[in-house]
Amino acid sequence: MIVNHELTGPPDAPVVVLSNSIGTDLHLWDEQVPALAERFRVLRYDQRGHGGTPAPPGPYGLADLGGDVLELLDSLGVRRAHFAGVSIGGMTGMWLAEHAPDRIDRLALICTSAELGPARGWRDRAAVVREQGMQPMVEPSLPKWFTPEALADPVRVEKFSKALQACVPEGYAGCCEAIASMDLLPRLGAIAAPTLVIAGAEDPATPPEHGERIVAAVPGSRLEVLSPAAHLANAEQPAAVNRLLLDHFTRSL
Ligand SMILES: O=C(O)CC1=CCC(=O)O1
């Protein structure tokens, strides 16, 4: 499968992979790329069924989403990279750090969770989009993604609503099923990548307690809680997230 991606920054710089959340696309990272590309080769991509990446028939597992990243890295000749992911992007990052530790250098997990039940709710959501398409997701999603203050910006609302509606329902559904079946917890303690966890204080989808649970299990990891910030904290608090990511990833330089 051809994973839609974009590369920015010096060709010989260390690579940072950016992985989007469910219902968004690689433009989730628009406000990170200019800052990160000063020091890194930034590789942002679309999760399957999102943006320009095709949607094979679901259900998917995190092994499929992580496998897409490994295939992409192989196709670009990248042996090892830093990785930042929001939500299902962070779940993809945890899977990679657990199952392909030689490929992941430093890890940044933004507004994510290692266990986001109930599985039934994700399977129900998958069924809704398969039957009715993406439209029913718009109204419930935006208030989870941004605080009311951030939603007052019509440009932001239009950008994120359009990306959500442009998802292929089968791909979005398959990603819901990957969350329903994820099994990250038992191996979190084996993650060796230096790990930064960022949470949004006002995130109703993966509240800071989810970040606390990851930090309690991943050796040497640390948590930063941003406010005001809901689920898409990197889009709501770009300056703070850029500072944290640059600090985390440049420690290895
Ligand atoms: O429901 C949402 O849109 C929030 C979310 C959970 C996992 C993910 O990637 O986004």
Side-chain angles (χ1 to χ4, degrees):
M1 184 175 69
I2 309 255
V3 173
N4 186 51
H5 64 278
E6 191 185 285
L7 277 162
T8 318
D12 53 347
V15 174
V16 173
V17 180
L18 302 177
S19 179
N20 62 288
S21 62
I22 207 164
T24 66
D25 60 24
L26 54 72
H27 292 288
L28 171 62
W29 301 101
D30 281 350
E31 289 176 89
Q32 275 66 57
V33 170
L36 291 174
E38 284 181 19
R39 304 289 298 273
F40 296 98
R41 181 81 163 150
V42 181
L43 170 57
R44 56 177 172 168
Y45 75 97
D46 290 323
Q47 295 276 14
R48 46 173 73 187
H50 293 64
T53 298
Y60 312 146
L62 285 182
D64 297 309
L65 306 185
D68 292 343
V69 176
L70 295 175
E71 216 176 288
L72 179 59
L73 291 177
D74 288 344
S75 73
L76 297 169
V78 177
R79 180 70 213 140
R80 193 168 164 84
H82 300 308
F83 190 100
V86 175
S87 204
I88 197 170
M91 297 165 196
T92 307
M94 286 184 268
W95 186 90
L96 285 164
E98 290 181 353
H99 294 86
D102 53 322
R103 308 299 297 272
I104 301 300
D105 197 339
R106 289 181 159 253
L107 186 60
L109 306 172
I110 303 172
C111 297
T112 191
S113 177
E115 187 179 44
L116 194 57
R120 177 69 188 272
W122 289 105
R123 296 201 170 100
D124 288 349
R125 203 196 285 200
V128 168
V129 297
R130 283 198 177 99
E131 280 164 24
Q132 301 175 40
M134 295 311 303
Q135 192 55 39
M137 290 303 117
V138 177
E139 206 182 304
S141 296
L142 271 288
K144 285 187 275 183
W145 292 355
F146 294 103
T147 62
E149 295 72 31
L151 279 182
D153 176 356
V155 176
R156 175 178 276 144
V157 171
E158 199 193 346
K159 170 181 169 174
F160 285 91
S161 305
K162 272 192 177 161
L164 177 56
Q165 289 170 81
C167 291
V168 181
E170 182 62 21
Y172 183 99
C175 286
C176 290
E177 289 160 337
I179 296 172
S181 65
M182 80 172 157
D183 187 22
L184 293 168
L185 279 178
R187 296 171 78 163
L188 278 185
I191 291 182
T195 300
L196 166 69
V197 180
I198 300 173
E202 289 79 26
D203 178 3
T206 53
E209 302 84 79
H210 290 252
E212 285 166 13
R213 269 177 238 141
I214 294 170
V215 164
V218 176
S221 58
R222 71 185 179 96
L223 174 66
E224 293 278 347
V225 181
L226 302 179
S227 182
H231 193 55
L232 302 186
N234 68 309
E236 187 157 355
Q237 289 279 353
V241 169
N242 292 352
R243 182 178 46 74
L244 288 167
L245 292 180
L246 277 168
D247 178 60
H248 185 56
F249 292 143
T250 51
R251 279 179 196 215
S252 58
L253 293 180

